[in-house]
Amino acid sequence: MECFFCVLEVQDMTSYQDFVMNKLSTIENIGNTNSIFVMAEIKHSTGLEF
């Protein structure tokens, strides 16, 4: 079993639902999906501070 991680940025939940229902779920080899939603970003950094 292979797992993939996909990050999406959509305009609204309707756009997300459209993507999942009409694009992602039509791919034959995808058995199931899980979603996690970020409502707002508090801090964005890519480096470690020492």
Side-chain angles (χ1 to χ4, degrees):
M1 179 172 84
E2 291 186 55
C3 296
F4 295 92
F5 184 77
C6 180
V7 177
L8 302 173
E9 185 174 335
V10 294
Q11 264 184 333
D12 51 31
M13 291 304 294
T14 303
S15 298
Y16 171 76
Q17 183 179 14
D18 178 59
F19 172 77
V20 171
M21 301 300 287
N22 298 315
K23 302 279 193 289
L24 193 60
S25 66
T26 62
I27 299 172
E28 184 177 322
N29 294 328
I30 294 182
N32 60 42
T33 61
N34 293 317
S35 299
I36 298 172
F37 298 95
V38 175
M39 303 307 284
E41 185 175 55
I42 296 172
K43 180 180 178 182
H44 177 77
S45 63
T46 58
L48 298 174
E49 297 179 24
F50 294 97

